[in-house]
Every structure is written in structure tokens, then in C-alpha cells.
Amino acid sequence: MTPRLNRLARGLVNSLTQLILFPAAAFTFAACASTDEPISIGLAGPLAQPHTGSMRQGAELAVAEINAAGGVRGRRIELVMRDDSGSATRAARVARGLADNPAIVAIVGHMTSGPTAAAAPVYNSGASPVVHVSPSASSTEIADLGPYSFRICPDDRLHAAVLAEWARQEVGANSAAIIYHNSAQGRALSAAFRSYFTRSGGRVSTADPFVTAVADLEPYLTRLRVRGGTDALMIAGEGEDALRVAMAIDSFGVAAAAMGSAGLWSTELSPIPLEGTLVSTHYLPSMLNSRNNEFVVAYKRASGGREPDHRAAATYDVMHLLALAIESAGTARSSLRDYLAGIGTRADAFDGVTGRIAFDTRGNAVGTEVTMAVVRGGRLVAAER
């Protein structure tokens, strides 16, 4: 072989050697990098609103516990927090930013039904869909958002059934008035309550929508009084809006049993106007299980003595559920989706502080229970029959 051919041969061998060794070297580098880098999980919701700050606190507590125990697969969990302001339009933009970030493996959120429905098409589309799990989007209108959409809360039909049964049998209400926030969640809860209440022989005297921009609720309550009042007043609203309704009821002296779903209650707002209000919920700090006892103690320590509400508890559960899914299935988005879809069937149900969590084929929670509570002395406690 000539010197020139020898040089060419040696060059070819070196090139082939580099081609063979480079992928292995690259793989080794990536593996080293992946063990050092945190696992990013998105948190999306109205994080700055007074009645929903507990969502962030529940998530941060869970992450602190997971990381203190060594993380997941030897890696820390890192929260990537985005505020959707409770707006469907903003939620869609937030979802796009989270979904397009390849470092994010899953999303916790969104909190309420309108933003969740707006964000879900983003998470379920594109070349790399990403799982999102809502802690508290309960509307029946969002029962099937796509294979990457999950929620761990019971839907409004369960809340409405319990509320209507309690109104008829425990309050003794023959008539009910409904005032509801004109949103997906408010409309769905209002419609479901009306159906169950009338089916059981009750009469709905009025059903009025309101929006956050409405400055004065006086016309609603005046009309209710002119029509002879009512035995029960169903409030289908969230946080600060529901608080406004409760305060208006008190100032106008409407003699009716006020009631609503868990959205009414928040440990972040003054409970005084809600005193005596009946609330349907799937979580109470007094629930008897060892995990909840430990969670309540840890949450009160982290929040300056406040008890957790359903938003904090459910978000805490979602974070721990995702940590289990990552530990079992890895960080690939499709693998996480497949693992979550099998919770309760291919994999054991998850025991959380809110109870046992499992999913049906559409990503909805199955087997969750709703109970009645009442605001007493600034706390939400189990209602007694």
C-alpha cells in the first residue's frame, strides 16, 4: 500500500472510531447532566389572588418534602410557576409557554374550570403533549379534555347532589334561590343543583348570574325579597365573589340557609361573613388518616398557623402523585401520561391526604366522596345532621 493510501486508511479508521465513540460519549455526558439537573414541573393557576394562595403553599410544601427525602431518582423537583389570573385567555398563553419548554415534564393546574378548559387543548396537542392534572376544576362541562388531561377532584354533579339532599332533608327547604358566577364552573354547579333539587320535590324561585364586574348585588336580593324570600340560597361562586354575596345577604337580612360548594371557602379570606354557611367539600383538615394529620401539622407550621383548604390539600396530593409517577415511569411525557392513566387499574390507587385517587378512562377522579361542612368560629368543620 502506498504512503498516500496508508494515510487515507488511517484517516478512515480514525473517522469511523469517532463516529462509533461519539454517541457513547454524548450519551454518557447527557446521563451525567440529567442526574445533576432538577426535574421541572409547572404550576399554573391564579397564584396571586387572595383566595387561592393556598395552591402555591400546598405545592411548595410537597416539593420541600420530596427534595428533603432525596428527590426523585436522585434529582430535585423544581417548580416553574406561572400565574393565569383565573383568566381563560391568559391560561391558554401560560399553557403554551409551559408546553413549549422541553424541560417541563408535567403541569399541576389549572385551578378552576374555565382556565383548565382553555389550557387543555394546548397541553394535548403538538409534537410533545404534556400531562396536566387539575386539583380543583370541577365543572361537568370539562369531563373529557383529552388523553393528557386529568383532575383529582369530584365533579359538580356530586357536589350538587349532596347540597340538594342536605337542603331538602336537613334544612327542610321547599324553595331555593340560586345566584351563580357566570363562568363554566358556576353555570355547571347551578344547573346540576337545580336538577337535583327539583327532582326531589323542591322549587327554584330564582336563578340569577353575576360577574365579578358587578358592583352591587342589591337588585338580586331585592327581587328575591319581593318574591317572598326563599328557604335556601345556593351560591355557585369562588372565593372573593362568594364572599361579596355572603356579605350582601347579611346586610339585606335575607333569611335563608346559605350554601355552596368548596369554592366558597378559603383560609386566605375573612370567614366572618360566611359564618353558618353550609359547604360541600371532598376535604377537611379533620379527616382521619395519618397522612392528613401529618400534612395539617406541616402546613400550619409553614403557613403561620392557617389550616389547609381543599386547594392546598389537592395540590399537595397532585405533586406527590407526580413524584410517584416519575419514580415509576421516568420523565418522558408520554410515559408519565400512560402511568397516570393506569392509576386505579394497572397501578394501585394513590392514597393522598384528600383520600384515594384513581382515574377513569377520561382522566376524571373516581371513587371520591363529598361531605357537608359548615363554617363555625372561623373554621370549616363537619356538619352534623
Side-chain angles (χ1 to χ4, degrees):
M1 184 178 292
T2 65
R4 182 173 180 273
L5 288 176
N6 279 332
R7 288 195 300 272
L8 288 174
R10 286 196 301 270
L12 180 59
V13 170
N14 289 336
S15 298
L16 289 173
T17 301
Q18 290 174 2
L19 288 172
I20 293 168
L21 293 179
F22 177 77
F27 176 80
T28 301
F29 175 78
C32 291
S34 67
T35 58
D36 295 334
E37 294 174 358
I39 298 171
S40 297
I41 295 177
L43 179 69
L47 304 178
Q49 293 183 7
H51 71 282
T52 54
S54 60
M55 179 192 195
R56 177 174 181 166
Q57 292 176 350
E60 290 178 335
L61 177 58
V63 169
E65 292 177 353
I66 294 165
N67 289 341
V72 182
R73 296 191 168 200
R75 298 169 62 187
R76 293 184 307 106
I77 296 293
E78 176 185 68
L79 281 176
V80 179
M81 292 184 280
R82 296 291 182 268
D83 195 321
D84 67 12
S85 303
S87 159
T89 302
R90 182 167 176 80
R93 293 199 299 268
V94 165
R96 174 52 60 201
L98 292 171
D100 286 349
N101 183 345
I104 293 176
V105 302
I107 317 293
V108 181
H110 295 231
M111 178 169 286
T112 52
S113 298
T116 300
V122 178
Y123 296 134
N124 279 276
S125 63
S128 181
V130 60
V131 157
H132 73 112
V133 186
S134 173
S136 54
S138 60
S139 173
T140 55
E141 296 178 10
I142 59 169
D144 192 0
L145 295 177
Y148 281 76
S149 297
F150 298 84
R151 58 176 169 181
I152 68 164
C153 60
D155 71 28
D156 286 326
R157 287 170 296 189
L158 287 174
H159 285 279
V162 171
L163 286 162
E165 184 268 341
W166 195 275
R168 292 284 290 145
Q169 296 189 17
E170 303 303 323
V171 175
N174 293 314
S175 65
I178 304 171
I179 182 166
Y180 62 95
H181 193 278
N182 196 13
S183 62
Q185 202 147 327
R187 290 190 298 269
L189 180 58
S190 169
F193 175 83
R194 182 173 197 147
S195 174
Y196 284 113
F197 189 75
T198 56
R199 195 183 307 169
S200 64
R203 177 180 62 86
V204 173
S205 53
T206 61
D208 294 312
F210 71 95
V211 294
T212 302
V214 171
D216 191 358
L217 297 169
E218 183 270 339
Y220 299 95
L221 302 177
T222 297
R223 186 159 70 96
L224 182 58
R225 284 197 303 187
V226 168
R227 293 190 176 187
T230 187
D231 299 325
L233 179 61
M234 170 67 185
I235 308 169
E238 286 275 333
E240 291 175 297
D241 287 331
L243 195 63
R244 288 175 57 227
V245 175
M247 292 172 69
I249 292 168
D250 185 60
S251 64
F252 275 82
V254 175
M259 60 192 342
S261 69
L264 293 183
W265 176 249
S266 170
T267 55
E268 309 289 326
L269 299 175
S270 170
I272 295 173
L274 293 173
E275 183 73 13
T277 300
L278 293 163
V279 178
S280 63
T281 184
H282 71 293
Y283 173 77
L284 285 171
S286 59
M287 289 172 63
L288 298 177
N289 66 68
S290 59
R291 291 202 65 182
N292 187 48
N293 296 341
E294 295 169 1
F295 165 65
V296 171
V297 171
Y299 186 89
K300 290 175 74 172
R301 186 186 304 120
S303 65
R306 284 193 302 272
E307 288 187 328
D309 59 18
H310 69 288
R311 301 174 187 89
T315 304
Y316 176 89
D317 273 352
V318 174
M319 288 302 311
H320 276 286
L321 175 59
L322 288 175
L324 172 64
I326 294 167
E327 187 71 51
S328 302
T331 57
R333 290 179 171 186
S334 58
S335 298
L336 286 178
R337 183 268 160 197
D338 292 344
Y339 182 86
L340 289 177
I343 295 289
T345 51
R346 297 188 302 273
D348 291 339
F350 178 77
D351 289 317
V353 300
T354 60
R356 291 179 68 80
I357 297 170
F359 299 112
D360 64 16
T361 56
R362 299 186 298 172
N364 296 303
V366 294
T368 53
E369 296 182 359
V370 172
T371 188
M372 284 301 299
V374 62
V375 181
R376 286 279 182 254
R379 299 177 64 233
L380 191 64
V381 299
E384 297 182 1
R385 292 184 179 273

